[in-house]
């Protein structure tokens, strides 16, 4: 398959305008009900495979999966690289294609799996962005207790940093998931619907209590979602996009770079624990990582920070 021709602007095509296929929908149903992937993950899968089908159709695909070859899929990866897609994104799309064709092979729709040997370019290991302990303290202390939304952000970011929560886990919290007595903790539903208990520190507990008092004082009927912990100005559950926007605004107000993301709070949680002597296995459990290798990225980060400190402090640095 040739990629010399210029395809339409694939990257800006809305997902709903990308092609689909009944077998793809069957595969997505399996991922939803058996793989127990989140709606966000399924949307990403639909987008990735829709882009593959778009690429295939533009080159004359007849909508028959057995006609797709390994060479065709390799040409697709080359095309993705040619349009400037980064290595992690290409790797994710290749993994998605492997999963789809594994399903088609298992169900008997194809005799051979053309994606079995599909290997994307190796991903460079990028160290996560983290705030220093001083930056994190300054940031959390800078949020005023001026109104209900400010109290919400104080509680939200303190809870995310204190327990190492993903942003999706934080916005999904219900009051029935929280235990604010001694040994306070939150029951969190993580990736793959895996449940874990995340700690709630003294500062986070205090700010959650203050925030709860503030929303309880609001007019009757304002809280349209009575069980959701973190609410927007309309009284409904806060969404991920709003958290990102609020974090950027609060960081800039504190005189800190606005480029940190909600996931930076989770990275900072793990890095600061490791720096204070916590064990890698304990951090793995707190983060809800299935594999220790995922958690080991923080040892690289810690070594990088030690090298920086050595260069700054040692006379021969």
């Amino acid at each position: 398959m040739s990629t010399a021709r210029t395809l339409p602007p694939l990257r800006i095509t809305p997902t709903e305008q990308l092609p689909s296929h009944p077998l793809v929908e069957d595969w997505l149903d399996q991922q939803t009900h058996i793989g127990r992937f989140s709606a966000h993950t399924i949307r990403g899968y639909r987008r990735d495979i829709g882009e593959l089908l778009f690429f295939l159709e533009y080159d004359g695909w007849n909508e028959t999966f057995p006609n797709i070859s390994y060479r065709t899929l390799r040409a697709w990866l080359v095309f993705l690289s040619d349009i400037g897609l980064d290595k992690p994104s290409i790797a994710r799309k290749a993994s998605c294609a492997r999963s789809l064709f594994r399903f088609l092979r298992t169900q008997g729709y194809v005799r051979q799996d053309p994606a079995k040997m599909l290997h994307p370019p190796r991903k460079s290991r990028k160290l996560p962005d983290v705030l220093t302990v001083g930056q994190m303290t300054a940031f959390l202390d800078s949020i005023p207790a001026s109104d209900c939304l400010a109290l919400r952000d104080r509680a939200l970011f303190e809870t995310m940093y204190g327990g190492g929560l993903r942003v999706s886990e934080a916005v999904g919290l219900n009051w029935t998931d929280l235990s604010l007595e001694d040994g306070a903790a939150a029951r969190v539903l993580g990736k793959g619907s895996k449940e874990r208990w995340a700690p709630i520190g003294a500062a986070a507990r205090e700010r959650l209590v203050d925030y709860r008092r503030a929303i309880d004082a609001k007019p009757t009927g304002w809280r349209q979602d009575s069980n959701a912990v973190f609410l927007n100005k309309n009284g409904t559950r806060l969404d991920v996009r709003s958290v990102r926007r609020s974090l950027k605004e609060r960081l800039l107000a504190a005189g800190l770079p606005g480029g940190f993301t909600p996931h930076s709070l989770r990275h900072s949680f793990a890095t600061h624990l490791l720096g204070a002597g916590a064990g890698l296995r304990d951090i793995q459990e707190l983060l809800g990582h299935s594999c220790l290798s995922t958690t080991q990225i923080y040892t690289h980060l810690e070594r990088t920070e030690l090298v920086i400190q050595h260069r700054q402090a040692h006379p021969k640095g």
Side-chain angles (χ1 to χ4, degrees):
M1 177 178 292
S2 172
T3 60
R5 292 175 293 173
T6 302
L7 271 68
L10 175 62
R11 301 303 302 153
I12 62 174
T13 303
T15 301
E16 59 271 16
Q17 294 181 16
L18 292 171
S20 187
H21 191 282
L23 294 181
V24 171
E25 295 303 318
D26 290 346
W27 168 69
L28 289 172
D29 285 342
Q30 185 196 66
Q31 301 305 299
T32 302
H33 298 111
I34 299 179
R36 301 177 69 186
F37 290 108
S38 68
H40 175 75
T41 299
I42 296 300
R43 283 194 299 271
Y45 285 173
R46 176 172 278 109
R47 172 88 200 181
D48 289 342
I49 296 302
E51 291 179 358
L52 170 59
L53 299 185
F54 182 96
F55 174 82
L56 295 171
E57 285 186 357
Y58 192 76
D59 206 66
W61 181 52
N62 64 358
E63 299 190 8
T64 305
F65 283 101
N67 290 343
I68 300 175
S69 66
Y70 167 75
R71 181 176 295 181
T72 298
L73 296 178
R74 282 295 306 170
W76 172 54
L77 296 190
V78 171
F79 165 72
L80 294 176
S81 179
D82 288 345
I83 64 174
L85 210 61
D86 58 35
K87 291 181 180 180
S89 297
I90 296 175
R92 187 193 70 240
K93 292 176 187 295
S95 175
C96 192
R98 286 196 300 272
S99 177
L100 170 63
F101 278 95
R102 195 160 51 243
F103 165 80
L104 295 174
R105 175 70 179 84
T106 302
Q107 299 298 316
Y109 294 115
V110 297
R111 285 188 175 184
Q112 295 182 339
D113 183 353
K116 186 175 182 180
M117 301 301 293
L118 190 65
H119 298 299
R122 293 181 64 86
K123 294 185 289 184
S124 56
R125 191 153 193 173
K126 182 180 181 295
L127 295 179
D129 295 325
V130 299
L131 290 90
T132 66
V133 175
Q135 286 177 321
M136 184 62 73
T137 301
F139 163 62
L140 293 172
D141 290 346
S142 72
I143 304 175
S146 53
D147 55 40
C148 190
L149 292 182
L151 288 168
R152 178 204 68 194
D153 286 351
R154 282 161 53 95
L156 170 64
F157 297 132
E158 192 77 64
T159 300
M160 289 177 64
Y161 169 62
L165 271 61
R166 300 178 178 93
V167 61
S168 58
E169 295 169 347
V171 298
L173 283 176
N174 295 317
W175 286 108
T176 50
D177 296 326
L178 302 184
S179 172
L180 298 180
E181 306 302 325
D182 291 339
R187 185 177 58 197
V188 173
L189 194 63
K191 284 187 175 181
S193 298
K194 291 184 295 185
E195 188 177 284
R196 73 180 191 280
W197 283 93
I200 294 178
R205 178 185 178 278
E206 180 180 337
R207 293 190 173 186
L208 282 165
V209 170
D210 290 343
Y211 167 60
R212 182 61 188 261
R213 290 197 191 104
I215 60 175
D216 284 346
K218 294 284 249 180
T220 303
W222 171 78
R223 289 175 62 191
Q224 299 178 45
D225 191 334
S226 60
N227 199 21
V229 175
F230 299 111
L231 304 172
N232 59 27
K233 63 182 180 180
N234 300 316
T236 58
R237 189 181 296 273
L238 193 65
D239 60 29
V240 171
R241 182 178 299 179
S242 297
V243 176
R244 293 195 188 103
R245 182 172 59 249
S246 183
L247 176 63
K248 182 175 182 178
E249 292 172 355
R250 298 294 184 187
L251 285 167
L252 292 174
L256 294 168
F260 291 107
T261 68
H263 216 64
S264 299
L265 304 186
R266 179 170 159 91
H267 290 320
S268 300
F269 160 84
T271 304
H272 298 168
L273 280 179
L274 186 64
L280 204 58
R281 287 286 184 186
D282 295 329
I283 296 173
Q284 176 192 2
E285 184 174 348
L286 289 169
L287 291 173
H289 285 163
S290 299
C291 302
L292 186 63
S293 59
T294 308
T295 315
Q296 285 175 331
I297 183 66
Y298 299 106
T299 63
H300 296 285
L301 193 66
E302 181 67 12
R303 286 200 295 270
T304 301
E305 181 62 25
L306 288 173
V307 170
I308 293 172
Q309 292 180 13
H310 174 271
R311 288 175 178 170
Q312 292 177 344
H314 196 280
K316 296 293 186 179

